[in-house]
Amino acid sequence: MIKSGTDINFAAQLLKKNKVVGIPTETVYGLAANAYAEEAILSVFKIKNRPFFDPLIVHVSCINQVNEIAHWHDERLKRLAEHFWPGPLSLLLPKKTIIPDIVTSGLSQVAVRMPQHPLCLELLNRIAFPLAAPSANPFGYISPTEAQHVLDQLKSQIDYVLDGGPCTIGLESSIVGIENNQLTLFRAGGISCEAIEQVAGTLHLNTSKSDNPKTPGQLKSHYAPQIPMYAGPLTKLLKKWGTKKVALLYTGTENYNVYFKFNLSPTHNNDEIARNMFRAFRAADQSGADVILISFVENTGLGMAINDRIARAVIRD
Ligand code: TXA
Ligand code: MG
């Protein structure tokens, strides 16, 4: 049976039957189900092996559809939606009862976003319900940025992956909400803090980084390859690990002599690094190396989100 392709009608039919479908977005691939159907959402949690305390993001086709599922309680969030949607930004809004509690893990707010991917938007337009979708990876593993990544890990458990090509952003959406009346960043992602602040004013950083956080994507260990990964200055790391089979994820044009290497961006460009990063984690994980080495990047633009994902993937000495 064909498991992936560009058949939007087929994907829509499956979703209408409460099946789970892999969908492309500009950030990462999602594991989508009817956000109104508890039974379908249960399947998503089961397939991902995801704990029920970790809520899902709901994907909408237009700003109007938000009114069906949530309240616009703060002008700043409305402004952000108008400016950045469709795009890699999820907003935390007080939910209406039409969204089952299982979607939000019992929280009173729902994370909502309108994705910027033509196939995904067309799919959303052909169905009468929004799609709840976490990233389409087993819980704790690296997020998928190509249809094949989804098939590699979840093929036997889903009926179809809508193939929209490689993701253009490459890491997950930024999550923004209101806490103590302050605009607050809950997860760094595909829209930089600078860009958010330009539209909606001061953005506070949510600092709850415990193992029982409000946004469990913020768990300390997440997005992790199976072989050990270390982050820091590369010359120092190479000195320490040089006698092992090293998978090196690097930027720039230096010619390294290692077991496996992946150039994230010859020009140290953070957009390009973001686009390649999860693909590089996977390739390194499958390379047969003993360790993966990577350095943190400059903290501008998507740098904060890139460094956040690296920090959650590595082993700290
Ligand atoms: O770019 C993305 O956001 C991708 C694509 C598929 O849209 N989705 C994604 O979903 O990254 P997931 O499930 O891997 O991460 C969602 C994060 C989790 O950390 C979750 O805890 C947080 O969003 N989240 C979802 N609903 C929430 C809520 N009501 N309150 C607080 N955090 C929430
Ligand atoms: Mg995820």
Side-chain angles (χ1 to χ4, degrees), residues 128-206:
F129 47 83
L131 292 174
S135 52
N137 49 288
F139 185 70
Y141 195 61
I142 306 158
S143 303
T145 52
E146 294 174 22
Q148 188 59 45
H149 298 164
V150 185
L151 292 177
D152 287 346
Q153 294 188 295
L154 303 173
K155 192 178 188 168
S156 61
Q157 298 174 79
I158 54 177
D159 294 309
Y160 197 60
V161 180
L162 191 60
D163 188 346
C167 300
T168 52
I169 303 283
L171 48 73
E172 298 84 349
S173 60
S174 307
I175 302 179
V176 173
I178 304 291
E179 196 168 63
N180 303 324
N181 200 33
Q182 293 177 327
L183 193 70
T184 306
L185 182 74
F186 288 89
R187 178 176 73 182
I191 305 263
S192 71
C193 293
E194 300 95 295
I196 292 169
E197 290 201 316
Q198 267 174 22
V199 173
T202 309
L203 182 64
H204 290 260
L205 302 184
N206 175 266

